[in-house]
Amino acid sequence: MASSTYEPKNRFIKAVNQQLPILSLIHGAVGAGYRAPKNLNYWWNFGSLAGVCLVVQIITGIVLAMHYTPHTSLAFASVEHIMRDVNYGWLLRYIHANGASMFFIVVYVHIFRGLFFGSYRNPREVLWFLGVIIYLLMMATGFMGYVLPWGQMSFWGATVITNLFSAIPVVGDSIVAWLWGGFSVDNPTLNRFFSLHYLLPFVIVGVVILHIWALHIPGSNNPLGIDVKGPQDQVPFHPYYTAKDAFGIGVFLLLFAFFVFYAPNYLGHPDNYTEANPMVTPPHIVPEWYYLPFYAILRAIPDKLGGVIAMFSAILILFAMPWLDGSPARSARFRPIYRMLLWVFVADTFLLGYVGAHAPDYIVHIGGVEIPCLILGQAATAFYFLFFLVIVPVVSRWETPLPLPKSINEAVLKKSAAKA
Amino acid sequence: MKKLIKTIGVALAFSAFASFGAQASEGGALKQVDWSFNGAFGQFDKAQLRRGFQVYREVCSACHSVRLIAFRNLADIGFSEDEIKAIAAEYEVQDGPNDDGDMFMRPGRPSDRIPGPFANEKQARAANNGAYPPDLSLMAKARFGGPDYIHSLLTGYEDAPEGFELGEGMNYNPVFAGAQIAMVAPISDDMLEYADGTPATADQISRDVSAFLMWTAEPSLEARKSLGFRVMLFLVIFTVLFYFINKKVWKPVKRGEQV
Ligand code: HEM
């Protein structure tokens, strides 16, 4: 990080910065000392938005933890105590619960951005791996957080998901008992989930720091997917991208606030307002919406172990993207056939989400044809893996990209000339 | 082509998202009530909530508790301190142990939770043919459709259709999952007399108690919406401001200048 370019004018600040160059660090990381491609579009706003989400979750989470009680007989009541008796407790809780959903929306867009513009390609593989690790940690954090209010979906979701590990041959049952700390999801489970739910966000902070570090070595990718050739291709991060990020944060917070204030329970499941009851199984156990595509993949495979392997592979396969993609161009902008298939892939993940939200025997009517959700889910799962294992490797190597612009600067100048 | 694919994608996205909220209950279609608390500016109708409380006290409380509500909370729906004290004193609450180590009964105080009709689930089931009347505090958030569901359920009783196998002690109600419910129709025309003189039709009684249960489930609804409006206003100004700041900052670059 270019720490040498920062020259504070105030003598006192200068002296402090000399002994602890924290201001230089900030200047080089998100200030005028860090230069970024000048052609970044709004897809590049989602990184800073994810950072905002993480901070919001940690601040609201810490205050919630001051009032929350991790005990099976008190957890549900303590959340209602937060909702009713703690000053602005309802606000904290609705921000935290909807914040998790917002975080996942942002991260899904962020991952899609990477897929579309080839941000996982050399020289950014490590950056991409760190991103996938953050995503995995978020999945674990969100899952354990959802257990904490100890509603019916908390309990039964935890039961279903932890039970998946029993599919592992030989040691499966022992692993499940170890996760539970007993013979069913119970107080020890709730306690450790609370402890880990408090811990993991800080692990995420750590990985985010590595992620940003790894970003600053090659610098940002850009919509053209071509390398930066010199300072004429760039602008200083501040004020250009600080202003743009601030605008993006405003738009994002409007959406966030809409859910918090006007539809705070829309993204949740009503069953979680009934206290957990191990004797009553809800008719449909559904996870939070952000897990639905993977839940659909799990249920698409008739074999339990096979389903678990497919579900985890569906996420882990993201790690392989740098090798699967062999195109001479990074950005899908210059790969029309690949681009179209990528959009079909996006539609496929939405279809999987839809399937995950419904029972396998739920009948979908498509143009007069009746298809059970199970079949739809199997077709969508097949396409999901077909995309990664066949379409990406084959199409990327076979499709000749459109001619790439010579430089970012040239492309930007051409665009502004066309507008003028 | 590009536009078309994008449109299809966005449409799919919305339908998938909408379907999460619409994994509706198993039962029949719900009546959509135009509640006073619907919409961005909707607030509770306090007179309606007080009528609903009366319905709860005179009808539902024979079987159901609202265990999350304390007497003092009734101040939110317009009861005065003296009225609350008087209502609380009508209930007997267990307290103790006293200096002799015994539990004892005393009249309720505003800080007490409203006592339910049964000491525990076993007692509740024993009194209801084995069925358990659930606590109603959060009912309006614990079912798809919320207050619409409660109103539809309460007014949804019908004669069982020809050939429908109704279980022992069960009642036909297509709004309930499985269409048979252990609760007998609790509401009928003129079963009570409203203190404020509102005609007590079954429909009115059902609406009033459903609105009351929305309040017990979400007492912060009014604070939430009024704060929400101010937050949205602030965010709109913030966003518009940064839209123009951003435009201004980028102007030289858009003109082709090097920075
Ligand atoms: C990566 C960031 C985080 C995510 C994605 C996340 C996610 C969640 C989710 C989905 C819930 C369930 C919400 C509900 O249905 O009520 C939850 C609850 C909770 N979380 Fe977090 N959380 C994060 C960070 C934190 C942190 C840092 C803390 C505390 C230090 C925390 C403390 C709590 C507590 C006490 C609850 C239970 C109260 C409640 O249900 O509202 N969370 N979290």
Side-chain angles (χ1 to χ4, degrees):
Chain A
M1 294 172 208
S3 47
S4 54
T5 63
Y6 181 60
E7 281 297 330
K9 293 192 181 61
N10 181 300
R11 266 178 45 216
F12 175 71
I13 293 179
K14 194 170 175 171
V16 171
N17 189 57
Q18 230 153 33
Q19 299 186 5
L20 179 72
I22 189 167
L23 294 173
S24 293
L25 185 82
I26 294 170
H27 177 84
V30 291
Y34 175 58
R35 292 180 68 83
K38 58 160 84 162
N39 62 336
L40 301 184
N41 56 27
Y42 279 104
W43 291 106
W44 266 259
N45 276 60
F46 287 83
S48 69
L49 292 181
V52 169
C53 289
L54 182 58
V55 171
V56 167
Q57 288 307 94
I58 288 179
I59 292 173
T60 53
I62 288 174
V63 184
L64 282 171
M66 294 174 189
H67 302 279
Y68 169 80
T69 313
H71 190 281
T72 50
S73 63
L74 296 168
F76 188 85
S78 74
V79 171
E80 281 308 316
H81 160 71
I82 291 170
M83 293 295 286
R84 289 155 197 271
D85 303 326
V86 173
N87 288 332
Y88 292 100
W90 57 269
L91 181 60
L92 282 171
R93 173 165 189 247
Y94 280 155
I95 291 176
H96 196 79
N98 287 285
S101 284
M102 295 300 126
F103 202 172
F104 276 95
I105 291 176
V106 165
V107 162
Y108 280 132
V109 175
H110 191 64
I111 294 175
F112 168 74
R113 187 281 316 265
L115 286 175
F116 192 93
F117 297 105
S119 302
Y120 47 82
R121 300 285 299 277
N122 182 279
R124 296 183 185 82
E125 293 98 325
V126 171
L127 173 58
W128 174 257
F129 300 152
L130 290 166
V132 180
I133 290 170
I134 292 170
Y135 175 49
L136 286 168
L137 287 167
M138 277 176 63
M139 301 270 261
T141 307
F143 164 65
M144 287 189 276
Y146 193 58
V147 176
L148 301 185
W150 208 244
Q152 273 290 67
M153 270 312 156
S154 299
F155 178 86
W156 289 99
T159 301
V160 169
I161 302 299
T162 48
N163 254 316
L164 294 179
F165 292 91
S166 71
I168 300 170
V170 190
V171 291
D173 288 327
S174 316
I175 290 183
V176 174
W178 176 73
L179 288 172
W180 286 340
F183 300 102
S184 66
V185 173
D186 207 333
N187 201 48
T189 328
L190 177 59
N191 267 294
R192 63 191 55 189
F193 278 19
F194 179 53
S195 173
L196 293 173
H197 184 70
Y198 207 136
L199 170 68
L200 287 188
F202 296 92
V203 177
I204 295 178
V205 170
V207 185
V208 166
I209 290 172
L210 298 182
H211 187 73
I212 294 172
W213 189 3
L215 167 70
H216 281 63
I217 305 300
S220 293
N221 184 29
N222 66 85
L224 301 174
I226 58 177
D227 289 330
V228 166
K229 305 232 159 54
Q232 73 283 0
D233 288 343
Q234 296 170 311
V235 291
F237 191 84
H238 178 72
Y240 293 92
Y241 287 115
T242 41
K244 195 170 177 178
D245 281 344
F247 169 59
I249 288 169
V251 174
F252 168 68
L253 290 182
L254 275 167
L255 177 79
F256 194 165
F258 170 79
F259 277 103
V260 167
F261 292 107
Y262 299 108
N265 295 303
Y266 180 76
L267 297 167
H269 196 291
D271 278 7
N272 234 24
Y273 279 109
T274 303
E275 189 167 4
N277 184 348
M279 311 305 284
V280 180
T281 317
H284 300 300
I285 301 174
V286 277
E288 292 271 84
W289 69 265
Y290 31 87
Y291 304 118
L292 288 174
F294 303 104
Y295 196 51
I297 291 175
L298 170 78
R299 294 193 299 185
I301 314 288
D303 174 63
K304 189 172 174 186
L305 180 59
V308 173
I309 292 173
M311 183 179 74
F312 283 108
S313 314
I315 305 168
L316 296 178
I317 204 162
L318 287 171
F319 279 115
M321 273 312 281
W323 294 283
L324 295 174
D325 185 349
S327 172
R330 288 194 192 104
S331 173
R333 259 200 199 169
F334 303 101
R335 304 155 65 185
I337 297 172
Y338 175 70
R339 185 175 64 214
M340 198 177 75
L341 290 162
L342 184 58
W343 281 114
V344 176
F345 170 75
V346 171
D348 188 61
T349 58
F350 276 100
L351 179 61
L352 282 168
Y354 176 85
V355 169
H358 294 83
D361 54 4
Y362 181 85
I363 304 290
V364 186
H365 298 264
I366 301 175
V369 191
E370 295 186 351
I371 308 175
C373 254
L374 179 67
I375 306 294
L376 209 55
Q378 288 173 336
T381 302
F383 182 82
Y384 186 98
F385 286 106
L386 186 79
F387 178 78
F388 282 106
L389 297 176
V390 180
I391 293 177
V392 175
V394 173
V395 173
S396 65
R397 285 168 178 85
W398 161 79
E399 184 181 18
T400 312
L402 305 176
L404 298 175
K406 278 203 194 56
S407 76
I408 294 172
N409 190 38
E410 192 192 273
V412 169
L413 290 183
K414 212 183 249 168
K415 206 168 156 190
S416 54
K419 267 205 191 128
Chain B
M1 188 65 191
K2 197 173 153 187
K3 274 256 162 61
L4 179 73
I5 290 173
K6 270 192 190 161
T7 319
I8 294 172
V10 171
L12 263 172
F14 271 100
S15 61
F17 227 66
S19 77
F20 304 140
Q23 310 152 31
S25 62
E26 304 293 281
L30 301 182
K31 295 173 188 159
Q32 308 282 328
V33 179
D34 186 20
W35 302 106
S36 67
F37 48 81
N38 278 355
F41 298 99
Q43 298 288 1
F44 288 124
D45 170 350
K46 297 284 159 66
Q48 180 174 47
L49 297 189
R50 285 194 297 273
R51 289 197 301 274
F53 176 59
Q54 185 187 343
V55 177
Y56 168 74
R57 270 226 288 179
E58 294 182 20
V59 187
C60 322
S61 69
C63 304
H64 294 280
S65 55
V66 280
R67 64 186 163 90
L68 295 176
I69 301 298
F71 293 108
R72 64 179 167 81
N73 297 132
L74 295 172
D76 287 2
I77 63 174
F79 285 96
S80 71
E81 213 171 307
D82 290 333
E83 284 171 318
I84 292 172
K85 273 188 189 145
I87 294 169
E90 288 172 31
Y91 289 78
E92 286 282 293
V93 177
Q94 194 186 49
D95 204 343
N98 61 17
D99 293 342
D100 299 323
D102 300 322
M103 303 303 282
F104 60 94
M105 301 302 282
R106 59 156 174 80
R109 298 185 196 126
S111 58
D112 291 321
R113 300 282 183 96
I114 300 180
F118 304 109
N120 50 53
E121 182 175 338
K122 287 258 161 57
Q123 196 185 57
R125 285 191 190 273
N128 284 282
N129 276 325
Y132 178 52
D135 181 80
L136 293 181
S137 324
L138 282 166
M139 190 55 76
K141 290 202 289 193
R143 295 288 181 278
F144 284 110
D148 285 338
Y149 170 79
I150 298 173
H151 174 63
S152 306
L153 179 78
L154 294 177
T155 57
Y157 287 86
E158 290 171 14
D159 293 329
E162 204 76 39
F164 188 90
E165 290 264 356
L166 210 53
E168 173 77 20
M170 299 298 267
N171 308 277
Y172 185 75
N173 189 331
V175 177
F176 190 66
Q180 43 183 328
I181 183 166
M183 171 169 69
V184 286
I187 283 174
S188 56
D189 284 330
D190 300 312
M191 68 186 306
L192 49 77
E193 211 169 300
Y194 276 129
D196 66 3
T198 306
T201 60
D203 188 72
Q204 185 67 43
I205 294 172
S206 166
R207 281 164 191 258
D208 292 348
V209 77
S210 303
F212 171 72
L213 292 177
M214 186 66 210
W215 171 74
T216 63
E218 184 81 349
S220 58
L221 180 141
E222 304 200 325
R224 166 158 64 76
K225 287 185 184 174
S226 68
L227 180 61
F229 177 68
R230 283 173 283 160
V231 170
M232 295 304 262
L233 202 64
F234 167 80
L235 285 176
V236 167
I237 295 170
F238 174 94
T239 308
V240 169
L241 206 68
F242 270 100
Y243 173 79
F244 286 110
I245 290 175
N246 182 47
K247 240 182 132 92
K248 184 165 188 286
V249 165
W250 278 85
K251 215 169 198 161
V253 178
K254 298 276 174 201
R255 269 201 309 262
E257 286 170 29
Q258 300 295 340
V259 291

